[in-house]
Amino acid sequence: MQSPFNTERLSRELTNLMERTRDRQLRLAVTGLSQAGKTAFLTSLVNQLRHAGLEAQLDLLPAAREGRLLGAQRLTQPDLGVPRFPYDAALSALNAKPPRWPEPTRGISELRLQLRYRPAQRGWLTPEFSHLTLDLFDYPGEWLLDLPMLAHDFDSWCQAQTQHNGVHRQALFSAWQTGVEQLDPAAEADEAQLADLAAAYADGLKQAKQAGFSDLQPGRFLLPGELDGAPVLQFFPLPDIELSTEQRQALPENSVYATLAKRFRYYQQHIVKPFYRDHFRRFDRQIVLVDVLGALNAGPERFEDLSRALQQLMHSFDYGQRSLLTRLFSPRIDRLAIAATKADHVTPDQHGNLVRLLEGLLAEPLKDLRFADIPVKALSLAAIRATQAREVNQQGQRLAALYGTTLEGEEVLIYPGDVPARLPDEHFWQQQGFDFPHFRPMGSSHEALAHIRMDAAIDWLLGDKLA
Amino acid sequence: MQSPFNTERLSRELTNLMERTRDRQLRLAVTGLSQAGKTAFLTSLVNQLRHAGLEAQLDLLPAAREGRLLGAQRLTQPDLGVPRFPYDAALSALNAKPPRWPEPTRGISELRLQLRYRPAQRGWLTPEFSHLTLDLFDYPGEWLLDLPMLAHDFDSWCQAQTQHNGVHRQALFSAWQTGVEQLDPAAEADEAQLADLAAAYADGLKQAKQAGFSDLQPGRFLLPGELDGAPVLQFFPLPDIELSTEQRQALPENSVYATLAKRFRYYQQHIVKPFYRDHFRRFDRQIVLVDVLGALNAGPERFEDLSRALQQLMHSFDYGQRSLLTRLFSPRIDRLAIAATKADHVTPDQHGNLVRLLEGLLAEPLKDLRFADIPVKALSLAAIRATQAREVNQQGQRLAALYGTTLEGEEVLIYPGDVPARLPDEHFWQQQGFDFPHFRPMGSSHEALAHIRMDAAIDWLLGDKLA
């Protein structure tokens, strides 16, 4: 007869115990450009975890399906100087009459959750309950595109900012363009003139955002907060400088060129770096949210613009040994999800295409991730479902349709159209336009929020920690 | 015959030359509670110095009277991350139709001026022109009263916050008071409950400010900016804790008492100290602005409250070897002005009393300053004059009167009343009320702003540097 106290088993049990009893933390980065759905995702994530033991629909998350996940409690966050993620305000908006989407994020906020669960396999040393601390934070998507700026110096940034612009985008910057063409980089800087031109540039960025463009730098120009009026936000790219590197570097400190370059460097050092150092320095898991449907709606120039912005962004993170972020702050990430959000805005039969289109958009970064051997899952989801999938009978055919309420308050039953399975080419844009509708949230009053595949996302991002 | 090259004269000339040619800077602290008139003072100061060679009326400033002060130019400020003082916006408001007072300050701003002048006495080595760099900054007066908080620990602050409150003030905090009385300092802290009570406390502070009170801590509760919703702004004093120091210190880390005390310390270290370190660390001259007339208008409880706030504040600065600010940041100040602002809101014959009343309000701090041998000048001024002094004939008597436009737009010719020459006692408040009117600015369109004794203030604060 074998003794129950054999050393191998004891050793395994002890390791298990240590794992269970030490303070286990998971820091999750929710990455997404403005409008990608970060706030909705975080609100739903907190909501699903809090209702996990009760009415939340989380069948794709084993710990919840097996009844082992008992719920989540908000803890005091570590940094007292950062606002708390406004979960209650977001829920109030969703449950208002009529229901509203939560306000877009205008600053940084944090949330710390403690998840309580029963371990799947219990030995005689395993405690009955375990805890996992989950650190989340939210921030304006506008600021995210500042990260790729760290890879530039002022000259290369000027080039990058002016080489890819299509006609629609250029038109939005015409006031700035006219002014900057008359500016002599070698002349003595006039504070007031630079301030005016920077305001015109910021105005162009704001209009471009309004018009559906994504590749917008510098991000703080869109949401300046307490930096409004500071010289660090008063620079802009200089297009077509006809000066050699030596000539540029020989320009006096008070020249237009040197003043703008100095402010660019100050922006990198004092605005961008601290943001990433404080918030992206250490995270274990990441989900990248992309509003693919919004970009399809906006047409080819803006779709191309989103694609470029995402590639820049993912390239900055890019997870290999030599990535920008690794060199700067050495984050360790062991798992990544990419998600096309707002999947409830198309019929379920289109979700497959949505994921394939997302994979097409992120093809280059996905290669890097595969090379770095970081597991990635691509999915489509709706963090907070705003529609119901229906079927309609048309001339004897059963067709998929969506039932929901538009932002204007009209109840509709529609077929919103097909999502292409690959990146649309020029021919495609000419033949077919996209016009996916926008829906308002359904309003749920005190129950868990309805969703699509939030459980799959949660399982991928933290399911293994609840085993 | 004596050689012109005698060594004594040469040495004097060389010292003079060094003094003139090195980069001379003066950092001026404009100190004042909310509503004291800091923004108007700074706007007028910049305006007078810029118009010094031209139409500005600066007869009490010798360098201007003698035609040696040639004007001032705005330079690039040293810290690119701080907004520029919105001088142009302030002038636009003053010159709008109808004219408006500039917006109150909601954040920190800076301005660097370079003054150009001809030295009074020229030797053969003195350059024809000299420069003086003047660094100015503006900030919300609400934040100034945070400085005295640095002298406290949480317990002594709780006592200080609850011992002086009169009936009017107490009534404004009744919602908070009801809640805090049911709070057990030893109980486990409930995040949401503390957030609600802190919001009620902040609400009391806002109402108290609205009602004319001055002694309002913590200042960031009134203007939270980007800290809105952060735990560091979610504390408040605990009145009447019936626990000994030992009992308090033995309370667990997650108790109400320990949580609030921790946030208080975080507020001191991460909010208050950086503000003073970055902005009050080094200044050479200081002017303290006081809205004496506003306090007289507001009645005895609020007048007493202002007096207490000013004493606390000046005591923190208090200029001796062992002052709080000296110990923390070692500033060196060699000259101070105290000024009763808005002197144009009473007739000129009352200006003497206004100064005496100001000296009465600041009697205790003035003793400290005399003891520390720091020269102080007390004066009354109007940075931006809103009225004209007139004389009216009443039954054969010539009486002083003011002509101006009220904030509501009514043109009036009035005698606004007498200013008491000493601190009013109870008897006095019962016999006589005060009701000084508020005037809108006159609007000046492109000329130097009209003022009362700005030249005297400028002469005291920097006249010796323009000799």
Side-chain angles (χ1 to χ4, degrees), chain A residues 75-77 79-84 191 195 224-232 234 262-263 266, chain B residues 75-77 79-84 191 195 224-232 234 262-263 266:
Chain A
L75 292 186
T76 307
Q77 64 199 55
D79 187 347
L80 300 182
V82 175
R84 194 173 291 128
E191 287 279 331
E226 290 178 0
L227 291 170
D228 206 4
V232 64
Q234 291 169 352
K262 183 179 171 192
R263 290 178 185 182
Y266 191 97
Chain B
L75 293 186
T76 308
Q77 64 199 55
D79 187 347
L80 300 182
V82 175
R84 195 172 291 130
E191 287 278 332
E226 290 178 1
L227 291 170
D228 207 3
V232 62
Q234 292 170 350
K262 184 181 172 190
R263 292 177 182 180
Y266 191 97

Side-chain angles (χ1 to χ4, degrees), chain B residues 177-219:
Chain B
Q177 188 78 38
T178 312
V180 81
E181 274 164 12
Q182 287 158 16
L183 197 63
D184 175 7
E188 187 180 340
D190 172 343
E191 287 278 332
Q193 187 188 22
L194 295 189
D196 286 348
L197 275 169
Y201 197 72
D203 200 52
L205 288 172
K206 281 169 201 157
Q207 285 190 45
K209 179 170 150 55
Q210 205 68 33
F213 287 94
S214 305
D215 189 10
L216 306 170
Q217 291 173 358

Side-chain angles (χ1 to χ4, degrees), chain A residues 157-459:
Chain A
W157 184 69
C158 290
Q159 262 194 334
Q161 289 311 293
T162 45
Q163 71 189 358
H164 289 299
N165 293 338
V167 285
H168 288 164
R169 187 173 159 133
Q170 269 183 18
L172 303 172
F173 285 85
S174 60
W176 166 77
Q177 189 76 39
T178 313
V180 82
E181 274 165 11
Q182 288 157 16
L183 196 63
D184 176 6
E188 187 179 341
D190 172 343
E191 287 279 331
Q193 189 189 20
L194 295 189
D196 286 348
L197 274 170
Y201 197 73
D203 200 51
L205 288 172
K206 280 169 202 158
Q207 284 188 48
K209 178 170 151 54
Q210 204 69 33
F213 287 94
S214 305
D215 190 8
L216 306 170
Q217 293 174 357
R220 293 282 168 144
F221 283 34
L222 293 163
L223 267 183
E226 290 178 0
L227 291 170
D228 206 4
V232 64
L233 297 196
Q234 291 169 352
F235 68 95
F236 43 81
L238 282 174
D240 311 320
I241 312 176
E242 288 160 3
L243 294 170
S244 68
T245 309
E246 292 72 37
Q247 285 173 315
R248 268 177 245 148
Q249 283 169 357
L251 290 173
E253 209 190 327
N254 66 357
S255 66
V256 165
Y257 174 83
T259 302
L260 294 178
K262 183 179 171 192
R263 290 178 185 182
F264 175 84
R265 288 190 300 270
Y266 191 97
Y267 187 83
Q268 288 181 312
Q269 295 303 318
H270 292 86
I271 311 297
V272 186
K273 269 202 184 164
F275 174 57
Y276 286 97
R277 188 189 56 219
D278 296 347
H279 299 286
F280 285 91
R281 187 185 43 203
R282 196 187 72 69
F283 55 86
D284 312 292
R285 304 279 163 94
Q286 184 181 24
I287 182 165
V288 178
L289 305 176
V290 183
D291 179 14
V292 179
L293 294 172
L296 280 178
N297 263 359
E301 190 179 326
R302 291 153 180 82
F303 192 84
E304 185 55 39
D305 189 76
L306 171 68
S307 165
R308 199 167 50 241
L310 286 173
Q311 288 196 20
Q312 267 194 68
L313 182 63
M314 301 281 284
H315 188 69
S316 308
F317 280 112
D318 93 359
Y319 319 103
Q321 281 303 309
R322 297 187 47 75
S323 82
L324 181 65
L325 209 66
T326 315
R327 287 204 316 270
L328 289 172
F329 313 117
S330 56
R332 299 152 299 171
I333 184 174
D334 61 2
R335 191 173 277 197
L336 182 94
I338 58 174
T341 53
K342 309 180 189 177
D344 57 334
H345 284 52
V346 290
T347 50
D349 56 303
Q350 299 298 315
H351 291 176
N353 279 2
L354 197 52
V355 173
R356 279 186 284 280
L357 188 55
L358 174 71
E359 288 172 329
L361 258 172
L362 298 179
E364 286 304 315
L366 285 174
K367 280 181 203 156
D368 291 339
L369 284 159
R370 202 157 38 233
F371 187 80
D373 200 23
I374 293 169
V376 184
K377 184 187 182 74
L379 72 167
S380 69
L381 59 80
I384 299 168
R385 209 172 71 198
T387 66
Q388 292 167 4
R390 297 271 173 92
E391 283 194 333
V392 291
N393 233 317
Q394 201 171 25
Q395 298 165 329
Q397 262 198 307
R398 294 170 69 88
L399 293 175
L402 291 182
Y403 172 75
T405 307
T406 63
L407 288 182
E408 293 73 32
E410 193 190 349
E411 289 183 33
V412 292
L413 180 68
I414 51 166
Y415 181 75
D418 288 350
V419 176
R422 59 182 68 187
L423 293 184
D425 56 18
E426 207 173 318
H427 179 72
F428 199 90
W429 286 110
Q430 281 164 356
Q431 287 219 319
Q432 186 186 352
F434 299 91
D435 189 16
F436 299 107
H438 291 281
F439 294 100
R440 69 157 67 141
M442 295 195 291
S444 68
S445 68
H446 305 303
E447 284 174 26
L449 294 165
H451 64 86
I452 297 174
R453 277 185 292 279
M454 270 304 284
D455 45 357
I458 296 172
D459 183 39

Side-chain angles (χ1 to χ4, degrees), chain B residues 374-395:
Chain B
I374 292 169
V376 185
K377 185 186 181 76
L379 73 167
S380 69
L381 60 79
I384 298 168
R385 208 173 71 198
T387 66
Q388 292 166 4
R390 297 272 174 91
E391 282 194 335
V392 291
N393 233 317
Q394 201 170 26
Q395 298 165 326

